Amino acid sequence: MSTPEVRTEAIGSTLLITIDRPNARNAIDAATAAGIAEALDRLETDPALRAGVLTGADGTFSAGMDLKAALRGESPSIEGRGFGGLTEAETTKPLVAAVEGWAMGGGFELALGCDLIVAAEDAKFGLPEVKRGLIAAGGGVIRLPKRIPHHLAMEFLLTGEPVSGARAGELGLVNRVVESGEATAVALQLAELITANAPLALAAVKKIVRAAEGISEPEAFSLQRKEMSQLMQSKDVREGMTAFAERRDPKWEGK
């Protein structure tokens, strides 16, 4: 179900999630965070949906935290889910960010919370929190140094200056750099490629990648063996092998 702040639309097996507060540059207030969380719940619980695309209305991804709402005492975070109901959420289904225009502060952090990012070449990514006496606490300080070299991440975090989508591509921050206005279409194409694959395998990839960040390599391999053991017992593995042998597309059940 869509809300006034967040629209959802099922396109094939992908859920398109659109932050829809263009008059506020799609900044995140409490209602918007709740709307994103509700959309992610729909994605997680609907077996017909296998991936999500997150974007913003009217050519802007998100300006981040709604400072006016914050001054009124509203929180843009949800307990257990983080900023925007997303940055700390442990989703099992792949999520692609489609970034047009500004992805500033929490907006950038929402994109970092997704599995893939498609950016318009003239998009703007930045973490300006230090200019307001804050830090990028929605994942920027934690995640960005893991995605790009240390000194480049520190430039984002310490100067607060933005970079273009084209520069983000050069830094390896995004998967695709596209012409202005094409980010959502390309993100949906990427999602379609993803959803052609086995749902249980996609969830296992996300689980192992997430867990491996905080544990030793032997522990990660141990976790991976458990996941592989479960996958090998699934109907989808047999279907994948049978479909390959029969030279046809597999019909996944997620079982």
Side-chain angles (χ1 to χ4, degrees):
M1 174 182 278
S2 299
T3 69
E5 297 82 11
V6 179
R7 292 186 280 110
T8 58
E9 179 186 1
I11 301 175
S13 53
T14 299
L15 185 66
L16 178 61
I17 304 167
T18 304
I19 305 169
D20 194 10
R21 298 188 71 216
N23 292 337
R25 293 198 300 165
N26 297 325
I28 309 299
D29 60 3
T32 308
I36 295 173
E38 183 178 320
L40 293 177
D41 284 343
R42 177 184 174 188
L43 175 61
E44 284 292 299
T45 58
D46 188 340
L49 297 170
R50 295 183 177 173
V53 169
L54 177 68
T55 192
D58 288 10
T60 295
F61 187 71
S62 174
M65 179 172 64
D66 186 327
L67 295 179
K68 293 179 180 178
L71 288 171
R72 294 194 299 268
E74 288 188 27
S75 174
S77 298
I78 294 178
E79 186 174 355
R81 294 173 178 255
F83 179 81
L86 185 153
T87 59
E88 296 176 49
E90 294 190 0
T91 57
T92 64
K93 296 181 181 179
L95 196 58
V96 185
V99 179
E100 299 277 355
W102 294 95
M104 297 296 288
F108 189 2
E109 290 170 316
L110 289 175
L112 288 172
C114 295
D115 300 297
L116 293 85
I117 304 175
V118 175
E121 58 190 359
D122 58 354
K124 296 292 184 183
F125 293 87
L127 295 169
E129 283 83 353
V130 289
K131 295 177 181 286
R132 304 290 182 266
L134 301 169
I135 65 170
V141 172
I142 295 171
R143 289 193 170 118
L144 191 60
K146 297 178 181 178
R147 310 289 172 83
I148 60 176
H150 172 85
H151 294 96
L152 297 176
M154 293 302 284
E155 183 175 347
F156 271 98
L157 294 164
L158 297 178
T159 70
E161 292 297 306
V163 303
S164 68
R167 176 58 175 158
E170 293 171 357
L171 296 177
L173 264 173
V174 305
N175 299 81
R176 302 282 191 279
V177 178
V178 299
E179 293 184 5
S180 180
E182 295 297 316
T184 297
V186 174
L188 287 168
Q189 291 171 3
L190 263 179
E192 186 176 359
L193 289 175
I194 291 168
T195 59
N197 298 317
L200 294 179
L202 295 175
V205 167
K206 289 197 59 167
K207 182 177 181 179
I208 295 166
V209 169
R210 184 166 57 237
E213 288 185 354
I215 60 178
S216 68
E217 205 169 81
E219 290 173 314
F221 273 105
S222 178
L223 171 64
Q224 182 175 267
R225 279 190 289 273
K226 292 178 182 178
E227 290 297 316
M228 276 296 295
S229 177
Q230 293 178 11
L231 283 176
M232 291 302 294
Q233 298 174 44
S234 70
K235 290 183 179 180
D236 277 357
V237 162
R238 180 168 292 277
E239 168 63 12
M241 293 179 177
T242 302
F244 177 80
E246 296 177 353
R247 298 184 179 181
R248 61 172 175 80
D249 291 334
K251 298 178 181 177
W252 308 119
E253 296 184 39
K255 297 179 182 179

